[in-house]
DNA sequence: CCAGAATGGTGACTTGAGTCACACTGGAGC
DNA sequence: GCTCCAGTGTGACTCAAGTCACCATTCTGG
């Protein structure tokens, strides 16, 4: 049944939540599934639910005016989208998108419930603040990289991150995909990858990259 | 007296705070003054106080490894540093600095008080969330600019922001300062400013720029 | 008033990275 | 087998922006 499934998910992914909070969430939230590639959140729409990721993987990226995109970070089970945690705000400026990388399950918590949760459950408000803080810091790291680092270093960091977040050395990525994520171009990425291969940091294959270091 | 001064400041800069919250703050927080150029917050130090700006102006910037800096945004009276709102976290990665632009007064609220404030005062937790949200969005805009825009556009945006935030057309900035804030070099900024002058968007003077558009 | 510092202007050069054009290759599907 | 196409490799070119060198102007402190 759905209720007990929610409980299982919460216990597994959000072990820090207090028992009463879990009960409240079971009574008020519902599960939602997304397939690979589905959009969880689109630009500027008013959020009526806070989404807690309980299974799968979500990719957050920024969309430029011309359609080019820019990878920011992944959200793993146990995380939530910071932006989805605010009850009904304008959000006109920020063009941000979230899409499922794998088959993903999220727990949708109505934003109308936020006041009560914040007030009554310490573990909830810790979670909200911690979510904001960590996303904030990730953005700072992103800013660091694009403003202070050159492409080769950014590429290495990107691959390291992929390796770490996806927990595999076999990175299923084409050069164009990487170029998109880093807002660069395929040729540039190809050349840099070639260099990295010579430095024995990766081995290149068709449609995937073996991460060594 | 200090107590009534705090009250005045709070009423002026944080009119949304409920009366009981203001009383609590009066009893537990204290004012702190900074002179122009003083550092309010340094890299990675554990924050023991949340700082609410009640007078003056605070500049937030990111420090690169080599000492170069990168302007992010201003905090006006009525605002607070999002990062200072988290009770004692690691914060090892983020090298972020806050310095006073003018003579600035802040209200220092002990972070040990956060739990109680969040729980008991709805206007407080709205404020905290709103602070996070708005800073987050500002960072997104920053990312947009450095990843999608060229220097000329970034410069125009920067000047527009200065004009808007400092509320004056007489921008007291040298070319080197601007270059620092944008993580560029003086010569580049000089040339671009020259172009903008030809386009009648600014008039250049020694040590200050008249913003026209 | 003078020396030195701060500020700004400019030409010449270098470089990282984006673009264009085109060639090669391995796999999927017929 | 063959075709087509996504994925990749590479040289040549362009351009924005950073760097270097040097000079001119204004300001400031003794």
């Amino acid at each position: 049944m759905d209720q007990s499934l929610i409980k299982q998910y919460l216990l597994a992914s959000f072990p820090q939540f207090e028992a009463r909070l879990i009960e409240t969430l079971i009574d008020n939230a519902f599960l939602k599934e997304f397939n690979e590639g589905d959009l969880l959140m689109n630009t500027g729409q008013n959020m009526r639910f806070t989404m807690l990721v309980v299974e799968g993987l979500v990719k957050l990226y920024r969309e430029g005016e011309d359609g080019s995109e820019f990878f920011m970070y992944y959200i793993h089970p146990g995380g939530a989208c910071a932006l989805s945690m605010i009850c009904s705000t304008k959000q006109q400026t920020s063009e941000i998108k979230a899409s499922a990388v794998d088959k993903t399950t999220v727990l949708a918590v109505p934003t109308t419930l936020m006041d009560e949760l914040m007030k009554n459950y310490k573990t909830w408000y810790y979670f909200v603040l911690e979510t904001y803080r960590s996303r904030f810091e990730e953005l700072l790291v992103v800013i660091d990289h694009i403003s202070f680092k050159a492409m080769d270093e950014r590429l290495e960091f990107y691959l390291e991150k992929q390796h770490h977040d996806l927990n595999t050395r076999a990175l299923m990525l084409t050069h164009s995909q990487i170029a998109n994520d880093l807002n660069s171009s395929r040729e540039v990425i190809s050349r840099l990858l070639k260099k990295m291969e010579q430095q024995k940091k990766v081995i290149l294959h068709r449609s995937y990259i073996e991460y060594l270091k």
Side-chain angles (χ1 to χ4, degrees), chain A:
Chain A
M1 224 219 110
D2 220 38
Q3 308 260 310
S4 79
L5 189 58
I6 293 182
K7 184 159 188 170
Q8 270 179 46
Y9 274 136
L10 284 173
L11 289 173
S13 296
F14 300 86
Q16 78 275 29
F17 282 2
E18 58 209 287
R20 290 186 310 123
L21 170 57
I22 290 183
E23 295 307 319
T24 306
L25 290 177
I26 288 173
D27 291 343
N28 293 283
F30 60 94
L31 294 174
K32 197 159 160 44
E33 292 214 344
F34 295 92
N35 287 313
E36 191 180 328
D38 285 358
L39 231 53
L40 274 77
M41 197 179 80
N42 207 332
T43 283
Q45 65 182 182
N46 263 14
M47 302 300 308
R48 292 184 304 118
F49 300 97
T50 293
M51 314 251 230
L52 308 189
V53 179
V54 293
E55 200 178 49
L57 190 62
V58 175
K59 175 180 177 173
L60 264 280
Y61 57 96
R62 194 112 177 75
E63 185 117 313
E65 288 149 11
D66 52 348
S68 60
E69 51 186 60
F70 186 90
F71 170 73
M72 296 199 304
Y73 49 76
Y74 287 121
I75 301 178
H76 294 269
C81 174
L83 283 180
S84 79
M85 306 191 86
I86 307 294
C87 335
S88 67
T89 45
K90 41 214 158 155
Q91 237 168 268
Q92 69 298 58
T93 38
S94 59
E95 309 279 314
I96 196 169
K97 284 189 175 183
S99 71
V101 177
D102 293 326
K103 193 163 165 46
T104 294
T105 309
V106 304
L107 184 69
V109 183
T111 49
T112 50
L113 212 66
M114 281 290 277
D115 278 18
E116 191 199 327
L117 296 178
M118 289 296 278
K119 184 169 172 172
N120 296 325
Y121 306 104
K122 201 169 164 176
T123 53
W124 174 263
Y125 102 71
Y126 277 161
F127 169 70
V128 171
L129 287 194
E130 173 55 23
T131 296
Y132 259 103
R133 194 198 56 78
S134 62
R135 297 307 163 221
F136 200 90
E137 302 232 340
E138 290 201 73
L139 282 199
L140 287 179
V141 172
V142 169
I143 288 182
D144 251 21
H145 276 80
I146 49 187
S147 64
F148 295 132
K149 314 284 188 186
M151 212 56 208
D152 54 350
E153 212 173 329
R154 286 178 56 201
L155 177 58
E156 292 197 23
F157 181 81
Y158 173 84
L159 294 178
E160 168 59 35
K161 202 173 164 68
Q162 294 287 323
H163 161 55
H164 178 262
D165 285 1
L166 301 175
N167 197 30
T168 171
R169 295 202 172 278
L171 311 178
M172 305 307 290
L173 296 163
T174 70
H175 299 184
S176 327
Q177 275 176 272
I178 299 176
N180 258 322
D181 282 355
L182 295 177
N183 195 41
S184 175
S185 70
R186 183 190 61 80
E187 295 93 320
V188 173
I189 299 300
S190 275
R191 281 188 256 261
L192 292 175
L193 281 173
K194 213 63 202 165
K195 248 191 236 167
M196 285 182 69
E197 190 173 38
Q198 283 159 15
Q199 293 164 8
K200 313 274 187 222
K201 291 176 178 170
V202 294
I203 299 174
L204 302 180
H205 304 268
R206 190 183 177 80
S207 299
Y208 85 97
I209 295 169
E210 218 178 313
Y211 185 74
L212 298 179
K213 208 185 58 174

